Amino acid sequence: MKPSLVVAALAATSAATSAASSTVSQWTKGQRHSVNYNKAPPNLSTLANSSLFETWRPRAHVLPPSGQIGDPCMHYTDPSTGLFHVGWLHGGASGATTDDLVTYRDLNPDGRPFIVAGGVNDPIAVFDGSVIPAGIDGKPTLLYTSVSYLPIQWTIPYTRGSETQSLAVSYDSGRNFTKLRQGPVIPSAPFAVNVTGFRDPFVFQNAKLDSLLESSPQTWYTVISGGVHGDGPSQFLYRQHDPDFQYWEYLGEWWHEAANSTWGNGDWAGQWGFNFEVANIFSLDKNGYNAEGEVFTTIGAEWSFEPIVPEVSDSRQMLWAAGNVTIQDGALKFTPTMAGFLDWGASAYAAAGKELPADTQASMKSKSPDRFITYVWLTGDFYGTHNFPTLQQNWTGALLLPRELSVGTISNVVDNELSRETGSWRISSSNLGVLELVTLKQEIVRETMSQLTSGVSIIEPGKTLGSSGPVAFQHRPKSKFYILTASLSFPASARGSDLKAGFEVLSSEFETTRIYYQFSNESIIIDRTNSSAASSTTAGIDARNESGKLRLFDVIENGEEKIETLELTIVVDNSIVEVHANSRFVISTWARSWYKASKDIRFIHDGEGEVKFGNIMIHEGLFDAWPERSR
Ligand SMILES: *[C@@H]1O[C@H](CO)[C@@H](O)[C@H](O)[C@H]1NC(C)=O
Ligand SMILES: *[C@@H]1O[C@H](CO)[C@@H](O)[C@H](O)[C@H]1NC(C)=O
Ligand SMILES: *[C@@H]1O[C@H](CO)[C@@H](O)[C@H](O)[C@H]1NC(C)=O
Ligand SMILES: *[C@@H]1O[C@H](CO)[C@@H](O)[C@H](O)[C@H]1NC(C)=O
Ligand SMILES: *[C@@H]1O[C@H](CO)[C@@H](O)[C@H](O)[C@H]1NC(C)=O
Ligand SMILES: *[C@@H]1O[C@H](CO)[C@@H](O)[C@H](O)[C@H]1NC(C)=O
Ligand SMILES: *[C@@H]1O[C@H](CO)[C@@H](O)[C@H](O)[C@H]1NC(C)=O
Ligand SMILES: *[C@@H]1O[C@H](CO)[C@@H](O)[C@H](O)[C@H]1NC(C)=O
Ligand SMILES: *[C@@H]1O[C@H](CO)[C@@H](O)[C@H](O)[C@H]1NC(C)=O
Ligand SMILES: *[C@@H]1O[C@H](CO)[C@@H](O)[C@H](O)[C@H]1NC(C)=O
């Protein structure tokens, strides 16, 4: 997490927490009459405070009652209640509990924090941390980054002692984490290492590490994210030393990449960059979480093509990698075998996950196995760099819908240069010119997905389009809250052609958001040029396109070779648009349509070749993730 943002979040929240939530509502309702969604928008930055509170507010997503949300972190299952706790930075850190992964309940009134900065170890800020569910005294125990000096940035020399790692314990079911009256348990970066960052400790257990390192079973480890000046990004690995988590043994940089290097040619997993943030470590098999499964990591990579000077805006990418874990020269090493984007959206970052055991309340109800679920942050003002009308909206940012991760397979793939490339997949087996590929599978958490699709379903008749131009859907959603699923089949001639196909959403005669696959560079594009009439009157309404790379492989189906079908799931939650494809690709962004009329859906086809649109289904309404906040 970029330190300067946390400072902004601190300021925002201390103000937000003083207001009763009912005040926000009355204010909002009082002001709404002055805003007319049937007319062109004024300069929104000139409107009254909170007058846009409802305009773009999502329903089914996690976000605080008001104010700015930062990185998700500090999730855990409370062993004494079986409730899953979801946390996020928000003037310290706040959180909510869920017993079904659909609805959430704030831990504290008005979303007030469970830990705030200002202690001896953390006079300046509380950054990301993670929780040992049954730690000190058997209680939830938080290991977090305690901050003493700012600024901290990978582009500038590091102030020694800026970031340390400290403990806090909750004795009241997570409503308050009490800091231990002592110094940090990891009081400095490794000896003589000139770090670019040293934060976001992620605690985990891992059977493979236990056996390779000859640790006792169920030992806790932590990785701390950062990098080394002039050398590149790293994960620093530590091992629990004592039952009270007072000492952590340094095991080295178990993963390091050269500065500014890439996975393969960079097409599939962006840049490793100069500094890692928010690293998570976990193991998966095809059903979900498995402490003995394949080792995965999710990481935020920080980089820039600009000259490296302080205050220069930098770039961030939300990546994943799977890897081999081995002992080399006496030290444990992680070596990637495949890597990709967890989310291609430029505003999607700082994912934080946690294992969700089968005996949690949610998993028992849905009869789910052990899972690893992750929440990705969608920054609302582009990491604090956009001059968004924040006072008018009174909230900034959200977490994307939770996803469950597992090892996915792509079967019957033709063995050719497309499948042999160094990409976000690896070959698991090969048989007579046909391959089975393995990749990271990510899907919207099953409980969330079944709730999203539980409402009345509208079936839009399938269509085969061969000529250009948008074609209106027969069915027009009544609202800007729905989920759309569809299968798109392409002819073999599409490969390498100029063919594009997909959907327009949030459309009217004034506005439209175009979501389509284009074969020219195997990308899903979200064209936001015309998403919002407000982008021409108001600063900070981002109209830049989003794009991400998805390879549709050549596959053998019923004895015939064809291009893999594109399976799209598009969630429109007012201004949040999540595009999921083939259980292995996600791109999420904001599309802040202004006009009330901007609700239409249309088919898009452009270029040569017939596209078959099938299995088209719309479920309207989504759900209210915060029933207790409803006013
Ligand atoms: C919109 O209003 C704000 C606040 O008055 C002002 O700073 C900004 O320049 C205006 N933007 C445009 C595009 O007129
Ligand atoms: C709007 O909110 C800002 C920040 O809280 C405050 O400074 C300003 O006075 C408010 N404006 C009105 C008209 O209340
Ligand atoms: C947590 O409890 C301690 C001790 O009672 C108190 O000093 C602190 O203010 C509380 N923190 C929060 C965030 O409520
Ligand atoms: C650490 O790296 C920074 C940035 O390259 C450099 O300015 C500083 O001198 C280095 N410090 C040490 C102790 O090598
Ligand atoms: C990083 O690599 C890119 C090319 O991939 C290059 O344009 C850029 O100058 C490099 N930056 C630094 C600081 O080396
Ligand atoms: C990972 O391990 C597998 C199985 O031992 C081996 O075939 C592969 O080459 C290794 N990959 C890397 C990148 O080390
Ligand atoms: C949100 O609105 C409340 C009053 O409705 C106000 O107290 C608070 O400062 C606002 N917060 C932000 C972040 O604008
Ligand atoms: C966004 O995509 C559209 C095509 O869908 C293109 O016309 C436009 O130039 C793109 N905008 C930018 C800024 O690249
Ligand atoms: C945006 O809307 C304008 C006006 O309706 C239209 O001329 C233009 O082609 C649209 N651009 C895109 C990229 O859809
Ligand atoms: C694919 O091409 C479009 C231009 O048509 C570009 O905007 C986009 O960034 C490219 N996508 C990727 C993932 O490189």
Side-chain angles (χ1 to χ4, degrees):
M1 163 87 205
K2 190 181 173 191
S4 61
L5 304 185
V6 179
V7 177
L10 279 173
T13 310
S14 50
T17 49
S18 59
S21 53
S22 62
T23 324
V24 177
S25 146
Q26 280 156 17
W27 240 95
T28 307
K29 282 177 190 137
Q31 293 292 325
R32 276 180 75 179
H33 305 296
S34 62
V35 178
N36 187 337
Y37 300 100
N38 296 312
K39 293 203 333 215
N43 177 347
L44 303 183
S45 302
T46 63
L47 299 180
N49 284 355
S50 290
S51 55
L52 300 176
F53 187 88
E54 300 287 352
T55 310
W56 292 311
R57 186 117 171 133
R59 300 188 67 204
H61 283 79
V62 168
L63 76 180
S66 70
Q68 167 134 17
I69 190 169
D71 299 14
C73 59
M74 310 182 186
H75 315 320
Y76 66 99
T77 299
D78 186 332
S80 68
T81 61
L83 291 173
F84 188 66
H85 290 232
V86 180
W88 53 82
L89 295 185
H90 177 65
S94 295
T97 59
T98 179
D99 63 4
D100 59 5
L101 299 167
V102 174
T103 57
Y104 298 84
R105 175 183 287 180
D106 287 305
L107 275 161
N108 289 315
D110 302 322
R112 278 199 285 269
F114 56 71
I115 187 166
V116 294
V120 178
N121 297 354
D122 56 13
I124 303 288
V126 166
F127 282 1
D128 303 36
S130 55
V131 173
I132 296 163
I136 294 171
D137 296 339
K139 300 293 179 194
T141 298
L142 169 67
L143 180 65
Y144 71 101
T145 301
S146 36
V147 179
S148 299
Y149 301 98
L150 286 179
I152 303 163
Q153 244 253 353
W154 62 276
T155 52
I156 59 175
Y158 190 83
T159 303
R160 195 173 166 190
S162 301
E163 294 164 303
T164 58
Q165 324 303 324
S166 296
L167 289 176
V169 180
S170 181
Y171 295 96
D172 61 356
S173 305
R175 283 186 288 275
N176 187 348
F177 275 79
T178 307
K179 298 168 192 173
L180 297 198
R181 294 177 55 82
Q182 62 174 54
V185 291
I186 302 180
S188 72
F191 179 71
V193 177
N194 192 0
V195 297
T196 48
F198 188 66
R199 56 181 166 274
D200 311 336
F202 182 80
V203 293
F204 65 100
Q205 292 170 305
N206 190 287
K208 208 170 272 181
L209 269 63
D210 287 347
S211 93
L212 285 166
L213 294 165
E214 297 173 13
S215 312
S216 29
Q218 315 281 303
T219 293
W220 285 92
Y221 301 88
T222 187
V223 281
I224 298 176
S225 301
V228 182
H229 270 290
D231 205 16
S234 289
Q235 289 182 0
F236 303 96
L237 180 67
Y238 289 78
R239 171 167 61 182
Q240 172 193 3
H241 178 266
D242 59 290
D244 285 334
F245 309 97
Q246 288 293 313
Y247 296 90
W248 292 82
E249 178 190 0
Y250 181 49
L251 300 177
E253 290 169 52
W254 91 313
W255 186 25
H256 172 78
E257 292 288 342
N260 204 24
S261 62
T262 58
W263 172 249
N265 63 8
D267 277 3
W268 298 98
Q271 314 279 326
W272 294 134
F274 297 85
N275 188 63
F276 285 156
E277 297 187 288
V278 300
N280 285 198
I281 305 288
F282 48 94
S283 306
L284 304 175
D285 63 18
K286 65 181 181 12
N287 298 315
Y289 180 80
N290 176 346
E292 299 183 9
E294 186 166 354
V295 176
F296 281 77
T297 181
T298 54
I299 40 164
E302 288 192 295
W303 55 277
S304 173
F305 282 156
E306 308 289 325
I308 295 183
V309 291
E311 318 306 332
V312 162
S313 74
D314 51 356
S315 304
R316 295 178 185 79
Q317 292 176 329
M318 190 60 233
L319 309 177
W320 62 266
N324 288 348
V325 178
T326 51
I327 300 270
Q328 286 169 29
D329 303 325
L332 196 74
K333 294 290 174 198
F334 175 83
T335 314
T337 52
M338 55 179 172
F341 276 82
L342 193 66
D343 196 305
W344 287 82
S347 297
Y349 194 64
K354 193 73 173 178
E355 63 188 281
L356 181 76
D359 63 1
T360 51
Q361 287 201 33
S363 294
M364 286 194 300
K365 284 188 217 167
S366 61
K367 301 193 171 50
S368 302
D370 291 347
R371 288 180 282 177
F372 188 86
I373 69 169
T374 191
Y375 289 80
V376 183
W377 180 43
L378 192 67
T379 168
D381 55 4
F382 213 70
Y383 309 96
T385 64
H386 284 181
N387 195 14
F388 186 79
T390 306
L391 291 175
Q392 287 73 20
Q393 181 166 276
N394 195 255
W395 58 273
T396 309
L399 305 186
L400 296 170
L401 295 174
R403 304 175 195 172
E404 41 184 277
L405 308 184
S406 59
V407 175
T409 51
I410 313 166
S411 298
N412 302 318
V413 178
V414 176
D415 189 349
N416 57 20
E417 67 279 9
L418 296 175
S419 45
R420 288 275 168 187
E421 191 178 339
T422 299
S424 51
W425 60 88
R426 64 177 174 76
I427 295 169
S428 71
S429 68
S430 160
N431 182 24
L432 304 170
V434 178
L435 304 178
E436 183 173 82
L437 308 181
V438 161
T439 188
L440 175 67
K441 179 172 178 177
Q442 37 172 343
E443 291 187 317
I444 295 170
V445 160
R446 65 193 77 182
E447 294 90 339
T448 308
M449 190 63 184
S450 73
Q451 191 65 31
L452 289 172
T453 53
S454 68
V456 180
S457 58
I458 306 168
I459 298 170
E460 172 73 19
K463 209 167 207 68
T464 301
L465 290 180
S467 58
S468 290
V471 176
F473 264 36
Q474 286 184 16
H475 295 284
R476 176 169 200 247
K478 291 184 200 62
S479 72
K480 298 181 181 181
F481 302 90
Y482 59 86
I483 179 167
L484 164 68
T485 49
S487 309
L488 278 65
S489 312
F490 303 100
S493 63
R495 179 80 66 206
S497 77
D498 64 351
L499 185 61
K500 302 173 183 178
F503 299 99
E504 295 194 14
V505 298
L506 298 171
S507 290
S508 63
E509 58 182 305
F510 312 109
E511 300 173 315
T512 193
T513 296
R514 311 179 75 229
I515 300 165
Y516 56 89
Y517 186 79
Q518 69 175 25
F519 278 89
S520 59
N521 64 353
E522 303 177 284
S523 292
I524 289 184
I525 310 270
I526 305 181
D527 176 356
R528 300 192 296 168
T529 317
N530 278 1
S531 287
S532 181
S535 62
S536 56
T537 64
T538 310
I541 314 288
D542 206 345
R544 293 175 298 177
N545 296 347
E546 299 270 11
S547 100
K549 220 166 158 69
L550 169 68
R551 173 154 294 164
L552 297 173
F553 292 98
D554 292 326
V555 292
I556 309 285
E557 241 181 63
N558 305 321
E560 289 189 24
E561 185 174 326
K562 58 171 293 234
I563 294 177
E564 209 187 347
T565 302
L566 175 63
E567 304 286 355
L568 282 180
T569 297
I570 300 174
V571 179
V572 174
D573 193 356
N574 204 353
S575 63
I576 298 180
V577 174
E578 297 192 15
V579 179
H580 298 248
N582 294 50
S583 302
R584 62 173 190 263
F585 171 98
V586 190
I587 183 164
S588 307
T589 194
W590 301 99
R592 297 180 171 110
S593 69
W594 175 258
Y595 285 93
K596 189 159 178 275
S598 298
K599 292 173 188 163
D600 290 352
I601 308 180
R602 303 173 184 140
F603 296 94
I604 297 178
H605 178 284
D606 193 19
E608 285 288 312
E610 269 193 355
V611 180
K612 268 201 202 105
F613 295 79
N615 306 325
I616 310 165
M617 193 100 87
I618 305 164
H619 290 90
E620 271 218 60
L622 306 184
F623 57 83
D624 179 3
W626 300 95
E628 295 189 5
R629 284 186 193 165
S630 300
R631 336 154 191 148

